[in-house]
Each structure stands twice: as structure tokens, then as C-alpha cells.
Amino acid sequence: MRQVFTRVGPVLFVFIFFVSSAFAAKTDTLTMVNGDRVTCEIKKLDKGMLTVKTADMGTLSIKWLRVSFIESKQVLEITLRDHTRLYGKFIKGDSAGYAVVQFGAFQEMHPMEEIVRITQVGATFWAGLNGSLNYGISYASGTENLQSNFAGDITYAQKTLKHSIRVNSNISQSNTNFTQKQDATYYLNKYVMKRGFIAGNLGWEQNTELGINDRIITGIGLGYEPVDNNVNYLTFSIGPQFNREYTNEGEINNSLEGSLTLDYYVFFLYKPKVSFQVLSTIYYGLTSNSRFRSSVDTKLTWEVFHNFTLSGTYSNQYDSQPSSEDAQKVNYSYTTSIGYTF
């Protein structure tokens, strides 16, 4: 009997520990506008949707503004619309539509719409990632044209830092032509004020129709985020960019450009969920004053079912001084793809 307990006892202890932990974690409480109560574990709030884990119904996504009261036993990182971060527990207040945050001996009450993000303190790196992956392919038998496109967008936010990676690839091949339009860029925003930030980026681009085999572009600038709430966000950034180009003709060109970037994202929490994003950058040559470039990417996304999406994108690039006489000044594309958000 002792040998059996020696072997089984530790396993049983670990099992009981994890089972009790799993049930103990579901100690947060939501009171909905219609009076329903949900006992759960709060996981995160992002883009107006509160993700919670329940014992009976699994993981749920709840519209944040449908929550009337919120209580939590766990300490959470709570981000307000002006980028203020609070670390504390939610306690039930007296006013519907208001959240009371308790940290130590202090309490603060905030309207629900002022809270734009919630994350678990000490959550894993993977739990802090947000983004989407999309892929599409098409074939036209008349022109024997095969086209594939891939897009990825991943964001990871820390206390005063926001890391983002964006990747796009559009490859088209036919009997007479082969084109590639690809880019990958890393963005880093360092928030130094409630809505202001220092912006840095490092990226690689390729666009054979504009005569660019490879382009390395890096820069730093200042940004401002006038809008950030549970419906949409808008940011502007401006600053110098260093551009090194490798052309189709084997030339290497270096230039310094000024850039202005606009990033706008809006999401509608209806069924199906719909979101729309515009990312636009204008470049003006500082070392070659007559050169003007622009890049516009738009994306409309529908959620087909939980986290799986259908997207339509439009992309347009313009260069007033392409690298060769045969290269086009304008390159644009329309794509459709299926994807997954996380």
C-alpha cells in the first residue's frame, strides 16, 4: 500500500492541484445589461470584445459594452483610452456601465467605454500576441495566369512599447510574365506621452513592375494617436527615411526621404463582424527633390465563423521616378483571401 501511494500520491496531488486551480480561476463575475451573470476567468479585452473562459461553455467572446458590472479576483493590466495603465482588481460598483478598479488602498471609477484593453498580468508571450494571417490563390485559364498572395499582421504590446510586424507577398506568373510584389516591415512605437510616441521601422520591399529587385528602408519619427477606443483607432507619424534600392538593371541607389504615414482601423461588432483598415504612406525625396512615392493598402474583412475570415484587399504603389524606362509608375492589385485572426 505504501509503495502504491508513493507512486500514485504525487501524480494524484498534481492532478488535484491543476483541477482545483482550473476551477478556482473561474472566479471573475460579469453582470450583463439584461441582468444575466457569467462566472468566468477574464482573459483579455481587445477591439471591443471581452474574451473569457468559463467552466461549462468554454471560451466566450462578449461585447464589452454589453457588460454592466464587472468583478475580478485576479490582478489585471487595464489600459484606458488615453494610454494610462492601471494594475488592479475590478470590484462591483453602484453604477451600471462603470468599472471600479482597486489597487492597494485606492480605488478609481471609469466608464466602460474609457477602457480599451485588458490583459492578464504575467500572461505568456503568446497570449499577448494579436494579429491575422491570410492566404489566397487564383488561376485564369484564358491567360494561364496563376496568382498567390499572403498577408500577415502581428502585434505585441508592452507597458510603453508596441511591436508590429507586417508581411505581404503577391506573386503572379503566366506564360509571358512573372512579377513579384513583396514587403516585410518591423515597427516599434515607444509611447512617451499619453498619445504621443517615437516611431521606428525597418523593412524590405520588392516590386518588379516598378523596377525594384530589393529595397531596404529604415527610419525614425514622431507619431500621434488621436483616436483609440473600442470601435476604431487612428495614428499619424512623420519623419525621415533612408532608402537603399537595388534595381532590375543592377544599379544601387541611396536616398533620403521624408515620410508621412496614416494608419486607420475600424471594426463593427455586428454579426458577421466586419473590419476595415487603411495604411497609407507618402514619401518625398529630400536628396532628389523631384521624386515622389506613395503606398496605399486597404483591407476589408468579414468573420465567416469564429476567428476565420474572408478578406478583400486593394493595394496601390506610385513612383514618379521609377528605376528604369521600362518600369511602370503605378502598380495596383486586388486580392481575396481566407484567413485566421488571433
Side-chain angles (χ1 to χ4, degrees), residues 40-298:
C40 60
E41 177 191 2
I42 296 171
K43 305 298 287 186
K44 68 176 181 178
L45 168 67
D46 186 57
K47 297 183 178 66
M49 297 299 293
L50 181 67
T51 302
V52 301
K53 190 173 183 179
T54 66
D56 299 324
M57 296 178 289
T59 301
L60 302 177
S61 295
I62 300 172
K63 292 181 181 179
W64 175 238
L65 295 184
R66 294 289 181 88
V67 178
S68 184
F69 297 96
I70 181 171
E71 301 171 74
S72 68
K73 301 294 185 182
Q74 57 175 321
V75 176
L76 299 166
E77 179 182 298
I78 303 158
T79 304
L80 305 181
R81 183 180 295 179
D82 63 0
H83 288 284
T84 298
R85 280 181 168 82
L86 305 174
Y87 294 87
K89 302 177 181 180
F90 287 111
I91 62 174
K92 188 173 182 178
D94 299 324
S95 302
Y98 285 81
V100 180
V101 183
Q102 183 182 58
F103 41 97
F106 302 95
Q107 295 181 7
E108 288 186 6
M109 186 170 69
H110 298 276
M112 293 289 193
E113 61 266 21
E114 290 293 322
I115 300 174
V116 295
R117 272 176 294 278
I118 298 173
T119 56
Q120 292 180 310
V121 174
T124 65
F125 169 79
W126 299 109
L129 292 178
N130 292 284
S132 64
L133 300 173
N134 295 270
Y135 181 75
I137 188 169
S138 63
Y139 177 74
S141 60
T143 58
E144 296 186 350
N145 182 274
L146 177 66
Q147 179 174 301
S148 68
N149 58 82
F150 170 80
D153 186 348
I154 300 175
T155 299
Y156 179 72
Q158 295 175 291
K159 291 183 180 180
T160 59
L161 296 175
K162 181 179 178 181
H163 308 263
S164 300
I165 296 176
R166 287 174 175 162
V167 179
N168 293 281
S169 175
N170 192 312
I171 300 175
S172 179
Q173 182 174 6
S174 65
N175 288 335
T176 59
N177 196 21
F178 177 76
T179 62
Q180 297 181 89
K181 176 187 171 296
Q182 303 181 94
D183 62 83
T185 306
Y186 167 71
Y187 301 91
L188 176 63
N189 292 350
K190 167 67 175 178
Y191 290 92
V192 293
M193 297 181 291
K194 289 185 176 180
R195 294 186 179 273
F197 58 90
I198 300 173
N201 64 277
L202 174 63
W204 166 81
E205 300 176 7
Q206 181 184 54
N207 194 323
T208 55
E209 290 195 351
L210 295 182
I212 302 298
N213 272 346
D214 295 286
R215 172 187 286 138
I216 306 298
I217 188 165
T218 183
I220 189 170
L222 298 177
Y224 183 68
E225 193 172 77
V227 179
D228 183 10
N229 53 43
N230 290 303
V231 178
N232 55 12
Y233 70 75
L234 171 67
T235 64
F236 297 95
S237 60
I238 186 171
Q241 303 279 336
F242 175 74
N243 181 5
R244 184 177 178 88
E245 296 177 346
Y246 300 81
T247 71
N248 292 350
E249 298 179 345
E251 297 179 354
I252 300 176
N253 300 318
N254 298 317
S255 62
L256 186 65
E257 301 172 313
S259 69
L260 173 64
T261 298
L262 176 149
D263 189 1
Y264 178 67
Y265 188 99
V266 59
F267 31 95
F268 305 95
L269 302 179
Y270 303 106
K271 292 186 178 180
K273 297 177 188 175
V274 178
S275 64
F276 178 71
Q277 184 173 16
V278 177
L279 177 63
S280 177
T281 305
I282 296 173
Y283 302 92
Y284 181 76
L286 300 177
T287 54
S288 54
N289 294 333
S290 57
R291 189 181 190 186
F292 174 83
R293 298 193 302 115
S294 66
S295 174
V296 179
D297 293 289
T298 64

